[in-house]
Amino acid sequence: MPTISVGRDRLFAAIGQTYTQEEFEDLCFRFGIELDDVTTEKAIIRKEKHLEEEEDGDDEEVIYKIEVPANRYDLLCLEGIAQALRIFNGLQEMPTYKVVNISRKSMIKMHVKPETSSIRPYVLCAVLRGIKFDEVTYNSFIDLQDKLHQNICRRRTLVAIGTHDLDTLHGPFTYEALPPSSINFVPLKQEKHFRADELMGFYKSDLKLKKFLHIIENSPVFPVIYDYKRTVLSLPPIINGAHSAITLKTKNVFIECTATDLTKAKIVLNTVVTTFSEYCERKFEIEPVEVIYSNGKSVVCPDLSFYNMEVPLSYITGAIGVPLEADEVTSLLNRMQLCAEQSVSGDNNSNITVSVPPTRNDVLHPCDVMEDVAIAYGYNNVKDITIAKGYNVSKGRAVSLKPLRLEEFSHLIRLEMAMCGFTEVMSFILCSLNDNFAMLNHEGDRSNAVIIENPRSSENETARTSLMPGILKTVGQNKGHPKPIKIFEVGDIVLLDETTDVGATNRRQLAALYCGATAGYEIIHGLVERIMLVIGLVPPDDNTTFYLKPSDDPEFVMGTQASIIYKGKRIGTSGIVHPEVLNKFDIPDPCAYFELSIQCFF
Amino acid sequence: MAEETILGYLAKNQEIADSGEFAAQHGLNHDDVVNVIKSLHGFRYVDAQDIKRETWVLTDEGKTYAASGSPEVQLFLAIPPEGIPLEELQKKLDPLLFKIGRAQAAKNKWVEMGKQLVSRKVQHVDDTVKDLLLQIERGKVIDQDDIKALKGRKLIATQTWNGYSVRKGPEYAPQRKKFAADLTREMLQSGEWKNLEFKEYNFNAKGQPIEGGHLHPLNKVRHQLRMIFLQMGFEEMPTDRFVESSFWNFDALFQPQQHPARDSHDTFYMKVPAITKELPEDYVERVKRVHESGGYGSRGYEYDWNRDEANKNLLRTHTTAISTRMLYLLAQKPFTPKRYFSIDRVFRNEAVDRTHLAEFHQIEGLICDRGLTLGDLIGVLHDFFSRLGMSKLRFKPAYNPYTEPSMEIFSYHEGFGKWVEVGNSGMFRPEMLLPMGLPEDVRVIAWGLSLERPTMILYGINNIRDLFGHKVDLGLIKANPICRLGVD
């Protein structure tokens, strides 16, 4: 979930109401955002620099850190949050955003060259005229672009935003893709010219920008936007040109969004222009730009049209479980920035016609409308119908359930193991390949293990193929524990398995370890027999059930180890743990161990 | 022996004034007498008062002289009446003895140290030093000047003597009662138990630690939760499937392919086996359509859905992957309502800290039925959480790609004095359910929470690594209460 930092006093001024912190928290809770932290600018700086706490001066501006839902791009800045809460509180009507009606001829044009299709095929543009920035709104404008880049734009891979001082440029513009060596310009915050390929090297050491280089770095052509005079506007998605940089004095802003995903580019452009059209001379008005593709196709953007949805009233009330009249529903929806009107469908059922504004791209389906009704009505006002309806009696029939055999059986085995005086441990599924193989003297044998592509640390390279590494690690970590140590685990391992859809399968295992002054294999042996007995298998005069067969596994000492054979198949191992293995797990005392698959017993 | 003598003596006499004298009179070892007095005092048969005395005892050197005479006398006796050359005399005596003896004899003016001969000055001498030492050894009192002289020659030293004066105590009896420490088989067999009184057990001391087996606290809580679900009529889902395809973990849940949760920063993807081999193709086609262009009343996400992305194997990030499979299977048959639950492991490629691990247990419950409402969800949440001891709940709107409405569940924690998030819930989106083939009026309400967090709160554990994994102290597993969730 994105977190937005806003000045408390400016936010309250924008909402048009002042709150105590508790009141504001409650408002957030009802609306579905969260006041995550309350801090000050100086406190943030102190924290970054790891300085000592000081007394906060009264004059310091209080910062609210607000967490907003990941699909509400319209709430990624102060302006958006304030407007949403104003409307939620009934202090404001939903604004109507307008694309200024100008002729195609007088529209600013953006020509798209065909080469761009190989690297970043889409561009959308718009103009905000007569905007008035002050320091705070200017910063908010920059921050919003940052937040969009981080979230919906997926770190600029899907969409990148460039904003320019239109008065420094001369249209029409072109969106091209050129060999890096042929692009030369002064990038933002620099004073000298760079060739685009050199610029990539230069930014390798730039903490912020180096993360984006991979998006175009290896392409033979880089996307670039020029004006009529061949001034570089931007080298998307990396950097803008210094020439057209916006300042506090900028009056007319040219916005371009280059993208690999057209839908997201529309959302991003709409979010930027609707939010900041509030500061335009003519409020909520946006000037369109015509984007012309080389095949002659042209698009006028932005597209601020409403998306219309017919939602039966019965669907809304039926899903929430609260009887509401159509006019109640429409006024609740208005508080959630959705324009709604009552209509009647052919079969005389009441419908709600919902017009979804361009700011609410999160609304995909009538269920989203239904949710907004529920939020405005108040989740905590929805009646709990546990008793009234009885969710647990379906159609008046009692339900007869079957237990899940694997889980029930595992539970019974756990109880038996504890009754035998062993203590249960729960170790991790994830482990390193080293833990799972080399540490157990199984160098070079990895054939049955799954391998994780992108582990953050070596502890997460694979899923265990036996319970042994986790149990031995537990003993190694509990060296000070009084002897004997008697522990067991019932848990899943993961093995490659060609016969399943994904190519891997879980197996439920039981393992136990004894550690004392002597290895005590006879105790482990007795435990195996005990478990077999409680499963209902009598040892081992009759080899058709189970028996122990001498084995030569490298994790055990030769001569004191045996496979556990059941119905002719090896289902487990047992033995005195090899001193080399003990040493690798930092265990100073002798241990005996067994492990078997319990999957074969039902 | 000593005990009988002491108790017997006190039967007839007021007091034993001095345990030392008493021991001497009765021919007893004083140390034995002291031990008996201490024990009788402890059981309040007698009252004993300390007596301390300083006495003189012989040093090792003193003891030698008491036995074989003082050096000066030995020297004197070594001189024959006619005298003896110094060298001869020196040869007759131990060098140290000679040195001391010569000095003392000279001081006493017993001998003449001539140039040629050493000769006696007097005819007879008395060994007073030896006599005095013998007197001290026998405990006799001697003159202070003599003490001073002997002390000066380091032949005697002081020693503190400890003894007691003893009177009857409040529990006095002429014979001590016997207390048995434990009941033995012999006592039962001989019938001796009838005459015995038992030593009072020290109830302030710790009992003996009990050896036995133990269940892991996380599993104890897990078991109680299973019981709660079963009592509520929920069926357990088979979740023994850690490796999952992106399709079942994400795509089937209407989670778009660019969603941040699908990032390699959050999800473990598999190198081996990298790709799933088999998906239900007609269903995949419907899922692709709903992502790309919607349908079922939805706009869809309007992007190019990529099959390769769906085929990628991963370690499941939530058990909802299993719920999705179960709902899909349910949709392939004539509809019957279901209540499902699971508690099993999930994996996140996240940085680990005090409260986060790369793997943890997810608890999930869902109800699938016709005409379910948000009110039903709130109802089942109240029922479920009140069984966990959380009866005060409130709900916050939230976002989750596959549920709408989505509600975060908060519970008022009396101990912390604040509202704490305890889980997530919602109704599955139609874009998830309808492509499966479920009837249009079927809704699914579901909720989830982690097993670790409530267990940590329940057992007062602050660091998740103290609860789960190989770093857990076995002592902690052995020493924690039963889990009474769903019982109280």
Side-chain angles (χ1 to χ4, degrees), chain A residues 91-364:
Chain A
L91 296 174
Q92 187 196 317
E93 299 266 307
M94 182 67 206
T96 313
Y97 302 104
K98 220 172 93 184
V99 178
V100 185
N101 194 5
I102 51 174
S103 69
R104 283 252 172 161
K105 233 175 104 188
S106 50
M107 265 182 217
I108 293 175
K109 307 241 177 335
M110 169 70 83
H111 295 276
V112 182
K113 295 283 167 74
E115 296 78 23
T116 57
S117 68
S118 70
I119 172 80
R120 206 170 175 83
Y122 306 108
V123 63
L124 294 176
C125 313
V127 175
L128 291 173
R129 289 268 178 203
I131 203 160
K132 249 197 206 127
F133 284 126
D134 60 27
E135 205 171 322
V136 177
T137 54
Y138 177 86
N139 287 337
S140 182
F141 188 59
I142 303 296
D143 283 350
L144 173 64
Q145 294 172 50
D146 250 4
K147 293 284 180 210
L148 288 166
H149 278 151
Q150 280 309 310
N151 291 284
I152 184 175
C153 306
R154 306 297 302 130
R155 288 180 226 99
R156 304 193 189 178
T157 51
L158 302 181
V159 190
I161 312 157
T163 53
H164 310 274
D165 188 333
L166 182 60
D167 299 326
T168 65
L169 298 166
H170 303 274
F173 303 102
T174 54
Y175 178 40
E176 308 177 22
L178 298 173
S181 56
S182 66
I183 304 168
N184 203 313
F185 70 111
V186 183
L188 200 60
K189 288 181 185 156
Q190 301 299 328
E191 278 168 10
K192 64 178 187 100
H193 275 77
F194 282 86
R195 235 170 56 192
D197 48 348
E198 290 162 357
L199 193 59
M200 291 285 136
F202 180 71
Y203 283 145
K204 283 257 184 318
S205 58
D206 186 304
L207 282 181
K208 190 183 170 204
L209 295 177
K210 68 175 180 190
K211 292 178 288 193
F212 308 120
L213 302 180
H214 73 97
I215 305 170
I216 56 167
E217 207 172 14
N218 297 321
S219 164
V221 289
F222 284 4
V224 59
I225 298 178
Y226 287 103
D227 81 345
Y228 178 66
K229 293 187 163 173
R230 299 304 282 172
T231 305
V232 170
L233 276 69
S234 64
L235 183 77
I238 311 297
I239 191 80
N240 288 346
H243 177 87
S244 57
I246 62 164
T247 66
L248 283 173
K249 288 179 196 136
T250 298
K251 295 254 166 334
N252 301 308
V253 181
F254 179 74
I255 302 156
E256 38 89 1
C257 296
T258 55
T260 55
D261 181 317
L262 185 59
T263 310
K264 294 205 168 48
K266 281 182 188 165
I267 295 172
V268 168
L269 181 67
N270 286 354
T271 304
V272 174
V273 298
T274 52
T275 309
F276 281 86
S277 60
E278 185 184 337
Y279 297 118
C280 288
E281 206 168 359
R282 294 158 76 168
K283 255 186 159 186
F284 305 125
E285 285 195 8
I286 296 104
E287 182 180 313
V289 172
E290 184 180 15
V291 177
I292 302 158
Y293 288 88
S294 52
N295 60 6
K297 242 180 82 182
S298 97
V299 200
V300 175
C301 45
D303 174 9
L304 297 180
S305 62
F306 281 51
Y307 177 79
N308 290 321
M309 227 182 245
E310 273 306 282
V311 186
L313 177 64
S314 59
Y315 170 77
I316 293 172
T317 56
I320 302 174
V322 172
L324 288 171
E325 297 300 327
D327 56 340
E328 288 177 278
V329 168
T330 52
S331 68
L332 289 172
L333 285 173
N334 288 338
R335 283 179 47 206
M336 300 303 290
Q337 308 180 57
L338 296 178
C339 306
E341 276 175 18
Q342 182 180 356
S343 61
V344 176
S345 63
D347 46 7
N348 233 358
N349 287 330
S350 199
N351 271 5
I352 308 291
T353 305
V354 182
S355 307
V356 182
T359 47
R360 289 297 309 275
N361 296 285
D362 58 299
V363 176
L364 304 177

Side-chain angles (χ1 to χ4, degrees), chain B residues 49 62 80 82 132 175 188 229 250 300 331 361 400 433-434 471:
Chain B
Q49 300 290 328
E82 65 272 18
L132 288 168
Q175 206 173 9
L188 293 175
F229 274 115
F250 291 127
H361 293 78
N400 182 356
L433 299 180
L434 297 178
K471 288 188 178 161

Side-chain angles (χ1 to χ4, degrees), chain A residues 1 26 28-34 69-71 154-155 158 261 263-264 307 309 315 318-321 356 360 363-368 370-371 374-375 379-380 382-386 389 391-395 399 401-402 404 406-408 411 414-415 418 421-430 449-456 460 464 470 473-474 477-478 481 485 487-489 492 494 496-504 506 508 599, chain B residues 212-216 218-219 222-223 226 230 232-238 240-245 254 258-260 263-265 267-273 275-278 296-303 313 315 325 337 339 345 347 349-351 357-359 361 367 369 371-376 378-380 382-383 394-399 404-408 410 427 429-431 443 468-475 477-478:
Chain A
M1 296 278 165
D26 180 64
C28 290
F29 195 95
R30 285 184 286 119
F31 182 69
I33 57 181
E34 194 170 323
N71 64 337
R154 306 297 302 130
R155 288 180 226 99
L158 302 181
D261 181 317
T263 310
K264 294 205 168 48
Y307 177 79
M309 227 182 245
Y315 170 77
I320 302 174
V356 182
R360 289 297 309 275
V363 176
L364 304 177
H365 184 277
C367 70
D368 298 295
M370 178 263 287
E371 182 190 58
I375 292 171
Y379 279 179
N380 296 294
V382 175
K383 220 168 121 198
D384 164 358
I385 51 176
T386 321
K389 192 178 175 196
Y391 69 89
N392 56 353
V393 179
S394 181
K395 304 273 185 288
V399 186
L401 300 177
K402 286 213 173 96
L404 192 64
L406 179 64
E407 292 307 324
E408 289 297 335
H411 176 64
R414 280 186 186 109
L415 293 181
F422 280 66
T423 294
E424 184 178 33
V425 299
M426 285 178 88
S427 53
F428 297 133
I429 305 291
L430 299 171
V450 301
I451 295 170
I452 293 165
E453 167 86 48
N454 57 333
R456 239 174 233 257
N460 303 334
R464 63 187 180 191
K473 277 197 257 182
T474 305
Q477 290 283 336
N478 279 277
H481 195 77
I485 290 174
I487 53 176
F488 79 96
E489 180 165 10
D492 283 3
V494 183
L496 291 177
D497 182 353
E498 281 294 314
T499 64
T500 65
D501 56 352
V502 292
N506 283 27
R508 181 87 20 118
Q599 207 107 22
Chain B
H214 308 267
L215 293 178
H216 194 283
L218 210 47
N219 248 330
R222 180 172 182 268
H223 181 70
R226 286 183 67 226
L230 292 170
M232 289 171 68
F234 284 65
E235 212 174 322
E236 190 161 13
M237 294 185 276
D240 52 333
R241 174 194 283 277
F242 295 155
V243 177
E244 190 52 275
S245 62
F254 196 51
Q258 305 83 0
H259 193 275
D263 242 47
S264 61
H265 296 283
T267 299
F268 289 114
Y269 285 95
M270 306 309 297
K271 193 162 157 189
V272 182
I275 279 171
T276 204
K277 290 172 297 189
E278 208 184 304
Y296 315 101
S298 176
R299 300 168 75 170
Y301 290 120
E302 299 172 68
Y303 72 100
N313 277 335
L315 288 177
R325 282 177 180 268
R339 260 156 273 152
R345 242 172 262 209
F347 304 86
N349 195 10
E350 286 172 352
L357 288 174
E359 57 188 287
H361 293 78
I367 305 176
D369 203 348
L372 288 171
T373 69
L374 196 59
D376 290 297
I378 290 172
V380 71
H382 275 298
D383 187 359
R394 61 176 192 166
F395 306 99
K396 174 179 165 289
Y399 167 66
E404 193 82 5
S406 309
M407 305 198 300
E408 278 173 8
F410 285 73
M427 298 173 91
R429 294 187 69 99
E431 293 100 321
R443 295 202 188 99
F468 183 24
H470 57 266
K471 288 188 178 161
V472 173
D473 174 17
L474 289 174
I477 301 176
K478 292 183 174 181

Side-chain angles (χ1 to χ4, degrees), chain A residues 456-470:
Chain A
R456 239 174 233 257
S457 80
S458 64
E459 283 172 32
N460 303 334
E461 288 169 339
T462 185
R464 63 187 180 191
T465 58
S466 83
L467 303 180
M468 200 169 190

